[in-house]
Amino acid sequence: MSAAQTAAGGVPLAALAAAGVLVAVQLLVPRVRRRVSPGSARFQSFAGGLAIAYVFVRLLPDLAQPVTGAGPAQGLLGLLAERPFLVALAGLLLYYAVLDWAQDADRREQRRHGGTPTPWPFWASGALYLVFNLFVGYLLVHQVRPGPTELVLYTVALSARYLVGEIALRDQDPRAYDRLGRWVLAAAVLVGWGIGAAVDLGDAAVRVSSALLAGSIVLTSLKQQLPGSGRAHVPVLVGACLAFAALLLAL
């Protein structure tokens, strides 16, 4: 039983506490947005840098380690678990494809209705984030590298990712996000935690889920930092990446 699972009655209270932190971050997004302007390049770059460093310095190297007990009996899931970089690439491409489809649908609808924005991008992104949050909650309980330190690092990295990705999501439709979106997405983390507390899908499932998560984190963190976006501050992004990478390597 990992540190995230150690608690009275076998309830993973440490993981639940971490889930509570992530839920609080999401529920506070509207308040954070009021304090942080849309063009806050330093804030966006700092948070994005932390999330990106975690993926490349901690998560992907851990996934590259041999899969314990994996074999032909595990079928497709076992084969995918042995190829985490391909799964991470698939996660990135899937995320990209859905967002691109939503943007195309939005453009088509705008041409038909005289340029009026549609909810397609918001709801497509929200659906992706819903699945993302279910994975996040489950992986709070079943981590690739169990332990309290890893749980803290995971929580910090995901909190940074939420501040980047969900602020951008809220900007697409503030009213829908504040009234419904943030509550549904926050609840998904708790549902994921509940699934993880009740069911252990095995090491291969943890690795595949983590790899898919890694690909989506990279895309959601970097898409706000593209040149010309107005939210990129290269020195802060690089500095945050290097500083957090040094901390991860030291631990």
Side-chain angles (χ1 to χ4, degrees):
M1 183 172 289
S2 71
Q5 295 172 293
T6 303
V11 179
L13 295 184
L16 179 59
V21 171
L22 296 177
V23 166
V25 169
Q26 292 178 92
L27 296 182
L28 290 173
V29 162
R31 184 171 298 180
V32 173
R33 165 48 78 217
R34 286 195 291 269
R35 295 178 177 273
V36 179
S37 67
S40 55
R42 287 180 175 84
F43 175 83
Q44 301 276 358
S45 296
F46 178 79
L50 296 183
I52 293 167
Y54 179 77
V55 169
F56 285 104
V57 179
R58 199 63 151 203
L59 188 54
L60 288 179
D62 283 351
L63 292 173
Q65 299 301 314
V67 181
T68 304
Q74 290 184 291
L76 178 60
L77 195 62
L79 292 175
L80 292 175
E82 294 173 350
R83 295 160 177 80
F85 294 100
L86 292 180
V87 177
L89 177 61
L92 187 151
L93 293 176
L94 176 62
Y95 215 104
Y96 180 88
V98 172
L99 293 180
D100 183 66
W101 169 82
Q103 293 290 344
D104 285 344
D106 179 55
R107 284 191 291 269
R108 290 194 300 270
E109 291 295 323
Q110 288 196 44
R111 285 196 296 268
R112 292 174 188 169
H113 301 287
T116 303
T118 73
W120 282 108
F122 174 81
W123 291 112
S125 297
L128 289 170
Y129 285 12
L130 179 64
V131 176
F132 180 100
N133 284 6
L134 290 171
F135 284 159
V136 166
Y138 180 84
L139 293 173
L140 285 168
V141 182
H142 304 283
Q143 294 185 292
V144 178
R145 188 194 298 194
T149 300
E150 297 306 316
L151 183 61
V152 170
L153 294 173
Y154 179 81
T155 304
V156 169
L158 268 296
S159 296
R161 179 263 171 212
Y162 284 142
L163 289 174
V164 174
E166 296 209 18
I167 282 178
L169 177 64
R170 182 183 183 271
D171 288 345
Q172 294 177 1
D173 193 334
R175 186 175 180 181
Y177 182 88
D178 292 352
R179 287 192 172 185
L180 179 64
R182 60 177 174 150
W183 299 100
V184 173
L185 295 178
V189 175
L190 295 178
V191 171
W193 171 86
I195 294 172
V199 180
D200 184 355
L201 299 177
D203 186 61
V206 169
R207 288 172 175 268
V208 171
S209 300
S210 297
L212 289 171
L213 203 65
S216 63
I217 290 174
V218 171
L219 181 59
T220 54
S221 298
L222 281 180
K223 76 186 184 77
Q224 306 300 322
Q225 302 298 313
L226 296 177
S229 65
R231 298 183 181 183
H233 194 285
V234 175
V236 172
L237 178 68
V238 173
C241 271
L242 293 179
F244 198 48
L247 175 63
L248 292 171
L249 291 172
L251 293 175

